[in-house]
Amino acid sequence: MTLGVIVEFIINTLSLGSLYALISLGLVFVFGIMQLVNFAYGEYIMVSAYVLYGLGVFTDLPWPLVFLAAVLTGAIIGFVSEVVAFRPFRGRSLDALLVTSFALSVILQDTVQLSISPRSKAPPFPDFFNQNVTLFGIVTPLRSYLMIGTTVLLLVGLSLLMRGTVLGIAMRGASENFTTARLMGVPANLVISTAFVISGLLAGIVAIFWTARSGAVEPLMGSAPLLVGFIAVVIGGMHSLVGAVVGGFAYAAVANVLSLTLPTSLLSFRDAFMFVIVIMFLVLRPEGLIRGSYAEERVG
Amino acid sequence: MSEPVLDVRDIHVAYGAVKALDGVSLHVLEGELVSLCGVNGAGKSTVLKAIAGVLKPVSGQILLAGQQIAGKVPEQVHRLGVSLVPEGREIFPSLTVAENLRIAAFGTYKAARFAADLEDVFGLFPILKERYRQPGGLLSGGEQQMLAIARGLMSHPTLLMLDEPSLGLSPNMVDSIFELIENLKGRGMTILLVEQNAERALQLADRAYLLSTGRLAFGGRPEEMGDLVDIASVYLGTHGEGSKP
Ligand SMILES: Nc1ncnc2c1ncn2[C@@H]1O[C@H](COP(=O)(O)OP(=O)(O)OP(=O)(O)O)[C@@H](O)[C@H]1O
Ligand SMILES: [Mg+2]
């Protein structure tokens, strides 16, 4: 293996891993607080991607504003879906919340399908996004480095929020023991809303980079990143934010290793190999790479 | 007589179809230490959880300084001045001692007061100062109980409820917990204490209640408890028609 291959592998894994880490973080933020796997998370990404497409094609807004609008859309849809769809069912069973998230997912898909089009559309991106740059002798689109940089900033920001602010400390406490946090005066609604807003914000950012890679938006596009999130979370562990990040990068690393090492004839089975690895994780280490400390307690 | 800090009137509480409290009334006056006794499963924790807002009573009233709090959520009840130090301590294990204490002041935080409150808590529990930057999960059982009580004090409660604070601790540690409770009482704190160690709790208490399978079997002066009720029968769970097999 040449040095070039190694460097290329590292850059690819860092940029793909960054994307996957953000995807799984968005899932785990809500799961950590509510023990809820939010199936509508993929649709947060999809709706944000459509905002990107709509504003990019039909308006002359400058790029930073288009991106900002897409990200804010994610945050708003996260917030609104919590208040409107999830909050009324919160005191009920976890099953009720799961069904709600399924329903929300389908409703959002159908709404976009009927009101816009079931066919895929190509959102425009600024030229610099897909421009190739050569670094360490490796040619990569600039967005790969933007992805890495954005993720580093977000991880630093989120860890400052979670460790350095009272709200963050309260959220970590609530994800370990929700009832006890409330007994100390931490409002349930505040903590849960914040988790959904952060989840939606991450979905909005993911939408930008996911769409830049795929080049298309379509109503059912949310299922692919959702699946990525599931796999990353199984690898890394559902019970900590660090686990989600580790899982995202580990998933990207394994996927890239498979791409490099599988013979061409087997390359189309890469995802099948990936699932075998996931199943092995579920059997051998169901808690994932990173063990969380909080109990399997659900929000009542 | 002044208005009670806490006045619980005929509350009924159920876990789904399982009735846990079948008409319980009790009150706590300002500065009093009231002890709530009963065997395992009698419903002691259920009473505290209903007061704290974790459980919603099916019927009945809970008045805090005259204000109805039955049906309020825990964060609201906490803001109104009730601290529950829960059974089993319920420390946030991955949060540091510092963070555990900071959360405890979440709803009532005042920057001007926080440092002094911390000093106060360190005065009561010097070990917490030593362990300030360590995760709560690494503390010993006794240290965790101290942290749990310290958390309960951070919000300057008008009513402090302790649920089995001596459970599972070494004899030495049990001694220091009871010493501490006495100390808090000496400061004029209003306390509702649930203890398995009824003998020691009754020594400290101004008044006592005895719960038996979801009903009150006794309420009055601690020293009368032995005279009026056959404690042994209650503790064996055979008291009254309310007891179920
Ligand atoms: N979450 C629950 N679901 C169903 N029943 C419960 C639940 N919690 C308690 N119970 C029942 O309610 C009754 C009272 O329980 P509670 O915990 O209040 O008793 P306790 O007096 O605190 O006992 P202990 O001394 O063991 O702490 C018991 O019969 C118990 O089995
Ligand atoms: Mg109990």
Side-chain angles (χ1 to χ4, degrees):
Chain A
M1 217 188 291
T2 66
L3 189 65
V5 174
I6 295 175
V7 173
E8 187 169 10
F9 172 81
I10 292 175
I11 293 175
N12 284 342
T13 300
L14 284 180
S15 71
L16 190 64
S18 294
L19 183 61
Y20 288 4
L22 295 190
I23 292 173
S24 57
L25 254 186
L27 270 181
V28 168
F29 250 97
V30 167
F31 182 85
I33 299 278
M34 302 255 287
Q35 270 52 62
L36 166 73
V37 177
N38 183 8
F39 285 95
Y41 180 61
E43 278 60 50
Y44 296 177
I45 297 173
M46 180 270 290
V47 173
S48 297
Y50 268 91
V51 169
L52 203 65
Y53 160 76
L55 295 181
V57 169
F58 300 109
T59 71
D60 296 325
L61 280 182
W63 281 109
L65 284 185
V66 174
F67 286 167
L68 187 69
V71 173
L72 288 183
T73 300
I76 291 168
I77 197 168
F79 177 78
V80 171
S81 67
E82 191 273 313
V83 173
V84 174
F86 292 108
R87 191 170 292 184
F89 298 101
R90 218 158 65 197
R92 317 279 175 82
S93 67
L94 184 53
D95 296 343
L97 287 172
L98 274 178
V99 171
T100 305
S101 84
F102 266 123
L104 185 61
S105 159
V106 172
I107 289 170
L108 289 172
Q109 285 173 4
D110 288 357
T111 306
V112 172
Q113 226 158 26
L114 293 174
S115 63
I116 301 174
S117 158
R119 278 200 302 253
S120 76
K121 308 272 183 191
F125 274 92
D127 292 335
F128 69 86
F129 226 66
N130 293 316
Q131 205 169 52
N132 281 333
V133 290
T134 310
L135 206 65
F136 310 114
I138 306 298
V139 183
T140 329
L142 181 64
R143 63 177 143 80
S144 296
Y145 294 109
L146 291 175
M147 178 77 250
I148 297 172
T150 305
T151 302
V152 169
L153 285 179
L154 274 172
L155 292 184
V156 170
L158 283 175
S159 89
L160 285 178
L161 173 76
M162 296 306 280
R163 306 208 159 266
T165 72
V166 184
L167 180 60
I169 295 172
M171 291 188 68
R172 281 161 55 223
S175 66
E176 292 198 330
N177 192 328
F178 196 80
T179 302
T180 302
R182 295 184 78 182
L183 281 172
M184 327 248 91
V186 176
N189 288 342
L190 172 70
V191 162
I192 292 174
S193 292
T194 308
F196 271 90
V197 167
I198 294 175
S199 177
L201 228 115
L202 289 167
I205 293 165
V206 166
I208 297 172
F209 288 96
W210 184 278
T211 312
R213 278 172 66 92
S214 71
V217 297
E218 47 153 340
L220 302 181
M221 67 176 280
S223 59
L226 187 67
L227 186 60
V228 165
F230 284 162
I231 295 175
V233 154
V234 167
I235 296 175
M238 200 80 190
H239 292 282
S240 79
L241 299 176
V242 176
V245 175
V246 170
F249 281 100
Y251 178 13
V254 173
N256 281 342
V257 166
L258 288 177
S259 305
L260 277 179
T261 54
L262 284 181
T264 330
S265 57
L266 287 179
L267 212 49
S268 55
F269 295 107
R270 197 189 75 173
D271 288 347
F273 281 96
M274 202 61 227
F275 284 123
V276 170
I277 292 172
V278 167
I279 291 168
M280 272 166 44
F281 257 94
L282 284 173
V283 172
L284 298 177
R285 200 176 161 92
E287 70 276 25
L289 289 171
I290 308 290
R291 273 197 186 88
S293 54
Y294 60 82
E296 299 277 337
E297 186 205 22
R298 208 181 60 76
V299 175
Chain B
M1 197 179 81
S2 66
E3 188 172 50
V5 171
L6 175 73
D7 194 358
V8 176
R9 294 183 188 164
D10 194 34
I11 54 166
H12 294 249
V13 177
Y15 294 97
V18 186
K19 274 193 179 176
L21 297 183
D22 195 11
V24 171
S25 301
L26 57 84
H27 67 273
V28 184
L29 300 177
E30 189 173 346
E32 260 192 330
L33 194 167
V34 172
S35 172
L36 181 60
C37 308
V39 286
N40 289 119
K44 305 176 301 286
S45 299
T46 306
V47 171
L48 299 193
K49 284 182 193 166
I51 297 167
V54 177
L55 297 171
K56 194 174 170 179
V58 180
S59 66
Q61 294 187 310
I62 303 173
L63 304 176
L64 189 73
Q67 184 185 358
Q68 175 73 257
I69 58 166
K72 288 199 189 297
V73 295
E75 53 266 37
Q76 291 172 320
V77 177
H78 182 262
R79 205 161 293 216
L80 292 171
V82 177
S83 266
L84 170 60
V85 178
E87 187 175 358
R89 315 184 241 289
E90 307 287 352
I91 294 304
F92 303 113
S94 83
L95 270 57
T96 63
V97 170
E99 290 170 333
N100 268 279
L101 290 171
R102 184 59 189 84
I103 285 201
F106 189 94
T108 53
Y109 179 80
K110 288 201 184 67
R113 192 173 74 178
F114 189 70
D117 290 348
L118 272 186
E119 280 314 311
D120 188 31
V121 157
F122 291 153
L124 291 171
F125 311 104
I127 189 75
L128 295 184
K129 190 168 190 172
E130 282 171 43
R131 302 252 189 268
Y132 197 54
R133 297 283 164 207
Q134 285 184 20
L138 295 185
L139 304 186
S140 74
E143 290 163 356
Q144 289 193 358
Q145 186 62 61
M146 293 180 181
L147 177 55
I149 297 175
R151 283 194 316 196
L153 296 174
M154 289 303 285
S155 56
H156 294 256
T158 51
L159 172 68
L160 178 66
M161 305 195 291
L162 303 167
D163 196 347
E164 313 221 12
S166 77
L167 191 71
L169 301 183
S170 69
N172 267 343
M173 197 52 87
V174 173
D175 285 345
S176 36
I177 294 290
F178 274 102
E179 230 168 79
L180 171 84
I181 295 172
E182 200 169 357
N183 180 347
L184 293 176
K185 186 190 172 193
R187 294 174 165 204
M189 184 149 273
T190 310
I191 301 172
L192 180 55
L193 172 66
V194 165
E195 256 296 332
Q196 281 282 301
N197 198 332
E199 213 173 303
R200 298 201 60 172
L202 291 178
Q203 277 170 14
L204 285 180
D206 298 309
R207 281 185 311 107
Y209 291 95
L210 185 61
L211 257 187
S212 171
T213 50
R215 292 171 184 225
L216 280 187
F218 170 82
R221 291 159 60 82
E223 57 272 22
E224 289 167 5
M225 197 153 111
D227 306 341
L228 286 177
V229 221
D230 184 2
I231 296 187
S233 79
V234 172
Y235 268 73
L236 291 171
T238 56
H239 172 86
E241 74 275 57
S243 56
K244 296 164 196 89

